[in-house]
Amino acid sequence: MALVPTMGALHEGHLALMREARRRAHTVVTSIFVNPTQFAPTDDFARYPRDLQGDLAKCASVGVDLVFAPLDASVLYPAGDETRVLVPLTARHLEGEFRPHHFEGVATICMKLFQLITPEVAVFGRKDYQQLQVIARMVKDLLLPIEVVGLHTIREADGLALSSRNAYLSFSERTRARVIPNGLRAAVDAYEMGERDTDALSRIARTVIERGTTAIDYVTCAHPQSVVPHPRGTTLGEGDHALLAVAARVGNTRLIDNVVLGEERGPLIFATEAP
Ligand code: AMP
């Protein structure tokens, strides 16, 4: 059985994970749950988009066998709930710096879902790259018999990564948001041309991203497995891959995206469907 955990408001990125799950297992389960413990009080939990009927139709269209969509959080967080799963090192940097308890909530809900649904395979998107590494670390450390699969990011034709939060963007914000994939692509191009200085690679992306965003939380070059940022002055070895991750606001909407330099060949894949 393969599990695809989601928070709903499903788009082609989610459906690509479900198709991959379909390829890997006889039975595909999707969970739809807007998990309160991964949101800070100032986050968008209350207004996060919810569309269960539309989501169920989309799940059916890609052959999902079972949807687990608890309507009440008490199903997963019984009265008095206090247990949390911590993956402190992998969760520390990047998103962890700006959303301090976010990955604690993510790891805890995934552990609960794994425990309830007992999948052999769990499929995640590399759009949330650090999340994928946190879950992979947790599965390894807790000796869970689960294969964690990470699927590449599905993008709009202009490169913007699909996200449920894109629904918050006004027309003009949606246009401006293109600077995020464009900045990442500029860094990929520089890497392909031989640039190996991680400060320069981050700066190249940041310069483009600054043109359309309201505020940047980070544009950081990090180790692709540990997700630890490279110290200033780092030069990558010839064959070294590096994660280049960004979090930025367009208007009030916070968007994240990333590429793995050395893995992305040429321009970013702007496919709307998994190859
Ligand atoms: P969410 O509903 O945002 O919690 O996401 C559920 C799963 O879908 C996570 O594993 C995400 O990484 C993945 N996902 C979200 N957006 C995309 C995308 N554009 N491409 C691929 N996977 C995605």
Side-chain angles (χ1 to χ4, degrees):
M1 184 206 296
L3 172 65
V4 181
T6 81
M7 298 205 299
L10 300 178
H11 51 63
E12 270 300 320
H14 297 113
L15 301 189
L17 305 187
M18 294 170 198
R19 291 190 190 99
E20 182 63 27
R22 188 58 299 146
R23 279 192 278 274
R24 288 173 178 266
H26 277 297
T27 309
V28 176
V29 180
T30 292
S31 61
I32 298 177
F33 179 62
V34 185
N35 173 38
T37 62
Q38 70 188 71
F39 290 80
T42 50
D43 283 347
D44 55 347
F45 175 72
R47 69 180 191 121
Y48 195 84
R50 291 163 169 87
D51 175 21
L52 186 56
Q53 289 313 315
D55 288 348
L56 292 176
K58 287 175 190 165
C59 288
S61 77
V62 291
V64 169
D65 297 290
L66 187 97
V67 176
F68 176 66
L71 296 177
D72 195 306
S74 65
V75 174
L76 288 162
Y77 293 100
D81 168 273
E82 59 177 293
T83 305
R84 293 291 177 268
V85 180
L86 302 182
V87 189
L89 293 183
T90 311
R92 174 171 299 171
H93 301 287
L94 305 176
E95 285 298 279
E97 273 180 37
F98 291 87
R99 306 185 71 190
H101 297 288
H102 173 66
F103 288 121
E104 187 180 318
V106 168
T108 301
I109 193 64
C110 285
M111 189 62 211
K112 285 171 186 266
L113 292 170
F114 291 167
Q115 164 68 18
L116 270 176
I117 296 167
T118 63
E120 284 96 40
V121 178
V123 187
F124 292 86
R126 289 171 60 152
K127 156 79 167 44
D128 300 277
Y129 189 95
Q130 190 175 13
Q131 167 174 283
L132 170 66
Q133 297 302 334
V134 165
I135 299 303
R137 187 72 252 171
M138 176 187 83
V139 162
K140 212 173 197 176
D141 292 350
L142 297 182
L143 314 175
L144 304 179
I146 298 174
E147 183 189 358
V148 176
V149 175
L151 210 73
H152 74 84
T153 300
I154 307 297
R155 299 174 180 280
E156 301 277 8
D158 68 354
L160 184 68
L162 296 189
S163 164
S164 306
R165 290 189 168 96
N166 292 353
Y168 299 149
L169 299 171
S170 69
F171 183 80
S172 73
E173 288 169 345
R174 170 64 188 81
T175 307
R176 279 160 50 202
R178 285 179 193 160
V179 294
I180 295 174
N182 287 348
L184 294 176
R185 184 164 47 184
V188 170
D189 290 346
Y191 181 93
E192 302 267 303
M193 299 285 287
E195 182 61 78
R196 291 293 182 274
D197 176 340
T198 57
D199 300 337
L201 289 162
S202 312
R203 200 167 48 243
I204 287 163
R206 179 179 281 271
T207 304
V208 177
I209 292 167
E210 267 169 1
R211 288 181 200 145
T213 51
T214 316
I216 294 179
D217 279 353
Y218 60 82
V219 179
T220 300
C221 215
H223 188 277
Q225 269 82 47
S226 68
V227 202
V228 174
H230 288 299
R232 289 195 74 80
T234 300
T235 304
L236 299 170
E238 218 9 73
D240 284 354
H241 294 178
L243 171 69
L244 183 63
V246 49
R249 276 175 207 281
V250 181
N252 290 323
T253 304
R254 187 173 184 278
L255 301 175
I256 61 170
D257 200 351
N258 69 83
V259 287
V260 177
L261 301 170
E263 264 182 26
E264 309 282 346
R265 287 273 159 261
L268 299 183
I269 305 161
F270 291 161
T272 50
E273 206 176 291

